[in-house]
Amino acid sequence: MLILPSRRQFLTGLGAGAGLVAATGVYAFDVEPLHRLVVTRYAPALPRWNPELRLRVAVLADFHVCEPFMPFDRVAEIVDATNALKPDLVLMLGDYPAGRIAWRRLPLAEFARLAEGLKAPLGVHAILGNHDWWDDEQVQRARAGTPAVKRLLEDRGIPVLENGAVRLAKDGHPFWLAGLADQQPFYGLETGLEDLPGTLALITDDAPVLLMAHEPYIFPEVPERVALTLAGHTHGGQVRLFGRSPAIRRVRGIDVSYGHVVADGRHMIVSGGFGVSRMPVRLGVPPEIVLLDLGARA
């Protein structure tokens, strides 16, 4: 026999459902994006990594500074939390301004000053993302040039790699750090500035390679020579439920939305980053510092 709920039961259930939706909305719009900060740790076994090279790397992506979603006190909190992890190397993966979602834009010169506070023996290195280009009206009008944030970071001692590579060493063990120019620099155009073959041609020996690429979409083209690709851009989809980010498209059948991606023996780690874009919401993918322990022994 079918037993129907009473009017009171129906209204109680409806009210509980509405309350759950409201609580979820408050969490997604306020708590997770603005007040949470996690450290996501990876110790991947990389086939093209020297096991004698033990390297701790902090990866910071997608700040999107603005008010109210990423004010300067939040940036300072991230800098302090990163330094407390005592990384050997800090990598910044682009998208420093917020873009159209900002209620109030903040000066990137102050962001660069705060980023100068990041400390690591092997330095702080950066690349640019699409919003670093899109937010710069001069380079967008010219469809060429150099975004202002590149100069601001370099003036603070943070080199910005654009299709470049630098050879570093830890405890006498060398490795290469390579960084691509952005794949989507001009709003509304498909033309990218990345030069993957030219960048890898700068590598002159067989030391392991870390590759920084703002967008993860280039991963299917990255050769096995690269030990690990590091990317941001996706924010993990900003809404990630049951291990899936429905807003992020697959690339050649590969889910590049978030986390440790392995395809054909090649490895990439995609950071969920810190900020928001398009919509001021994060759910299931809290702002994160990615911490890599490479060459770590069990």
Side-chain angles (χ1 to χ4, degrees), residues 206-218:
D206 61 355
V209 179
L210 295 176
L211 175 67
M212 296 188 291
H214 177 68
E215 294 91 351
Y217 308 130
I218 199 167

Side-chain angles (χ1 to χ4, degrees), residues 172-248:
H173 301 293
F175 66 97
W176 288 88
L177 177 64
L180 294 181
D182 193 62
Q183 299 159 56
Q184 301 174 349
F186 304 120
Y187 190 81
L189 295 182
E190 296 295 327
T191 304
L193 296 174
E194 79 283 359
D195 182 359
L196 180 60
T199 300
L200 297 182
L202 300 173
I203 295 166
T204 57
D205 59 28
D206 61 355
V209 179
L210 295 176
L211 175 67
M212 296 188 291
H214 177 68
E215 294 91 351
Y217 308 130
I218 199 167
F219 180 58
E221 301 175 27
V222 176
E224 292 185 1
R225 173 68 183 89
V226 173
L228 179 64
T229 300
L230 299 167
H233 181 66
T234 66
H235 307 182
Q238 288 191 199
V239 174
R240 184 171 177 85
L241 300 173
F242 307 108
R244 298 182 64 84
S245 302
I248 307 302

